[in-house]
Amino acid sequence: MQNDVSSFNPYRMAVQQFELAAEKLGLSEDMRETLRMPKRELIVNFPVRLDNGRIKTFTGYRVQHNVTRGPAKGGIRYSPEVTLDEVRALAMWMTWKCAVIGIPYGGAKGGVICDPKHMTPAELERMTRRYATEISIVIGPHSDIPAPDVNTNPQVMAWIMDTFSMHEGFSIPAVVTGKPLSIGGSEGRNDATATGVLFVTQRAAKRIGMPLEGARVSIQGYGNAGGIAARLFHHAGCKIVAVSDTGGGIYDESGLDPAAVSRHKQETGTVMGFPRAQSLRIGDVLEVPCDILVPAATEGVITAANAERVQARIIAEAANGPTTPEADAILFQHDRLVIPDILANAGGVTVSYFEWVQDLQSFFWGVDEITHKLQMLMNRGFDAVAEYADKYHCDYRMAANVLAISRVAEATQVRGIYP
Ligand code: NAD
């Protein structure tokens, strides 16, 4: 990792980004205070029986940043690195993401401090069901709807949906999104984040006159967002020159075959050691010669320390919070086009929104309709942000944040303060 993990604080960074946009907007201090603070934070410590008979107490969080525009929405992350500040930051970014893409949700996020790679499926299920029970006092189909994030998947969502439904006494599919199709999941949800990243990158490439055919792409992270992005960009005619995961990176200037890399990762657990590819150190994937860089792993990886060495013309942020404000300034100076996380990876929450709508009406759409609707919303979001960036000569992050914050501020204003 590029950042100094001990000093990097995603929440401090999210607030810094917010202040920059609030300043540009000329937002009053009263409104800033209202929008800056998370609305509700739940910390839960709960016991789980391990397979060896021991009982381990886990700590989990659910933070709802803002619910002015609709129910809270946001993923659940399982990782040893989860902190309350990380969850706060991710919840705040969800608020802006839903606002910039124009879907009627507020922002939330959840997480459990755990190491799922060292837990058995049975332990993971018991932990998930107990965490779901603990946070059931704040989640619900009309209040707060979780979804998958790092190290959680459709199976984890199924356990949460089942647990919540057992307590209520009947099935409530709309309490989570990213579920398996068999219990009310949506067509297209699995690929949605990466599909959205591709749509906005196509839009950005067109604006700067860069042909996507043959464009060299480097991707950090090879999970749901990054692995699928590799496949989709490859199908779109790009050349995937580098990819990485926690084990390190691989590089091949003649282009990697994402299907073969995925098979290799499935067999060995990492992309490292892929035949005929050159090995990279973990941060190098951000700096290799390429036209498009897709950070799809974690926060705080493009910093003042390495931003100058980023060679890509377009940086499409599939991950949340990969670029620090200091790095943003450097990238803007160097004429790099950063498609910010709250726009670039909004495809995931957009198809989650479609899933929720389908669950509530118990009427389901085909994949073509989903993809068409997704493309419409992503293009509309991109065009609004690009127009603002052109008009005010600012970077796309500032433009996206200003748009999003102004929408939430307007909703706050028009609803008024209760009582
Ligand atoms: P995932 O758990 O499926 O995959 C994460 C990948 O990143 C893994 O391959 C892991 O090995 C790799 N990784 C972690 N740290 C790394 C590092 N320092 N260097 C290189 N690789 C590293 O998670 P995901 O769902 O793909 O999420 C990745 C990012 O995308 C997160 O920031 C997440 O919040 C964001 N995101 C995901 C979705 C979604 O629908 N899955 C939606 C929006 C945003």
Side-chain angles (χ1 to χ4, degrees):
M1 296 221 349
Q2 294 301 297
N3 58 289
D4 172 1
V5 203
S6 56
S7 65
F8 176 73
N9 182 318
Y11 184 55
R12 210 179 305 135
M13 174 170 130
V15 171
Q16 199 182 341
Q17 291 169 337
F18 167 77
E19 297 297 350
L20 288 168
E23 192 62 38
K24 186 124 189 141
L25 255 178
L27 219 57
S28 73
E29 183 45 40
D30 289 355
M31 183 62 84
R32 283 187 205 199
E33 207 169 285
T34 310
L35 301 187
R36 188 192 296 130
M37 308 255 253
K39 175 188 171 59
R40 187 178 280 138
E41 303 182 341
L42 178 65
I43 304 176
V44 291
N45 299 302
F46 56 94
V48 175
R49 196 177 297 282
L50 304 181
D51 286 355
N52 65 10
R54 278 201 50 221
I55 291 169
K56 182 172 163 53
T57 297
F58 289 88
T59 299
Y61 307 102
R62 186 72 187 170
V63 173
Q64 297 169 356
H65 170 256
N66 190 292
V67 293
T68 309
R69 297 181 61 259
K73 186 87 188 81
I76 289 173
R77 179 172 289 198
Y78 288 171
S79 160
E81 268 118 50
V82 164
T83 62
L84 180 55
D85 271 351
E86 180 186 55
V87 178
R88 284 176 173 145
L90 290 161
M92 187 191 250
W93 288 325
M94 282 305 296
T95 302
W96 313 141
K97 190 179 301 183
C98 295
V100 85
I101 213 70
I103 55 179
Y105 284 139
K109 206 79 181 191
V112 179
I113 305 171
C114 63
D115 190 354
K117 292 200 175 88
H118 293 110
M119 293 170 72
T120 66
E123 289 170 341
L124 212 54
E125 176 173 356
R126 286 196 293 275
M127 186 192 78
T128 298
R129 287 187 181 277
R130 180 63 189 249
Y131 170 66
T133 303
E134 297 287 342
I135 64 167
S136 65
I137 54 174
V138 296
I139 65 168
H142 301 291
S143 52
D144 181 356
I145 306 117
D149 191 70
V150 173
N151 289 328
T152 56
N153 56 26
Q155 177 61 76
V156 171
M157 295 306 116
W159 289 328
I160 297 176
M161 177 270 196
D162 184 68
T163 302
F164 193 86
S165 299
M166 286 298 122
H167 292 164
E168 295 296 317
F170 51 92
S171 291
I172 308 181
V175 66
V176 286
T177 58
K179 297 178 295 292
L181 278 177
S182 55
I183 53 167
S186 177
E187 295 283 358
R189 177 60 184 88
N190 202 42
D191 289 7
T193 302
T195 306
V197 174
L198 177 64
F199 286 155
V200 290
T201 306
Q202 282 169 330
R203 209 79 172 167
K206 198 164 164 201
R207 271 184 88 85
I208 63 169
M210 176 204 286
L212 221 55
E213 187 69 41
R216 297 162 303 163
V217 180
S218 177
I219 302 178
Q220 183 189 45
Y222 212 72
N224 182 285
I228 298 176
R231 167 163 59 79
L232 299 181
F233 277 78
H234 178 72
H235 282 160
C238 298
K239 193 158 74 168
I240 312 299
V241 291
V243 299
S244 72
D245 59 22
T246 40
I250 52 172
Y251 176 77
D252 184 345
E253 66 175 349
S254 63
L256 297 156
D257 172 8
V261 175
S262 296
R263 275 196 303 276
H264 176 81
K265 186 169 165 71
Q266 214 154 28
E267 283 159 17
T268 66
T270 172
V271 299
M272 292 298 284
F274 184 69
R276 290 179 300 281
Q278 188 185 323
S279 294
L280 296 175
R281 283 172 309 158
I282 192 137
D284 292 351
V285 73
L286 303 166
E287 302 172 16
V288 294
C290 64
D291 305 300
I292 298 165
L293 172 64
V294 182
T298 188
E299 300 101 58
V301 292
I302 306 177
T303 67
N306 62 358
E308 281 197 9
R309 295 195 297 274
V310 169
Q311 302 190 42
R313 179 75 179 81
I314 295 175
I315 295 119
E317 295 183 336
N320 285 305
T323 312
T324 65
E326 296 74 25
D328 268 333
I330 296 168
L331 293 168
F332 190 54
Q333 269 168 16
H334 286 72
D335 202 25
R336 309 287 187 236
L337 199 167
V338 179
I339 314 173
D341 46 8
I342 63 167
L343 173 63
N345 70 33
V349 73
T350 302
V351 177
S352 271
Y353 165 60
F354 297 159
E355 178 175 335
W356 179 72
V357 169
Q358 293 170 85
D359 287 339
L360 290 179
Q361 64 186 9
S362 298
F363 182 71
F364 290 83
W365 313 332
V367 69
D368 290 346
E369 188 170 356
I370 304 268
T371 310
H372 175 69
K373 284 185 160 77
L374 172 63
Q375 186 158 28
M376 236 170 52
L377 291 197
M378 295 303 296
N379 286 352
R380 188 183 68 181
F382 181 90
D383 291 349
V385 169
E387 194 184 311
Y388 190 94
D390 284 352
K391 193 163 157 196
Y392 294 97
H393 307 290
C394 63
D395 65 23
Y396 279 39
R397 180 164 347 265
M398 173 66 86
N401 279 332
V402 165
L403 255 183
I405 293 166
S406 64
R407 286 174 178 169
V408 182
E410 187 188 333
T412 308
Q413 194 77 43
V414 76
R415 280 182 66 156
I417 304 296
Y418 173 87

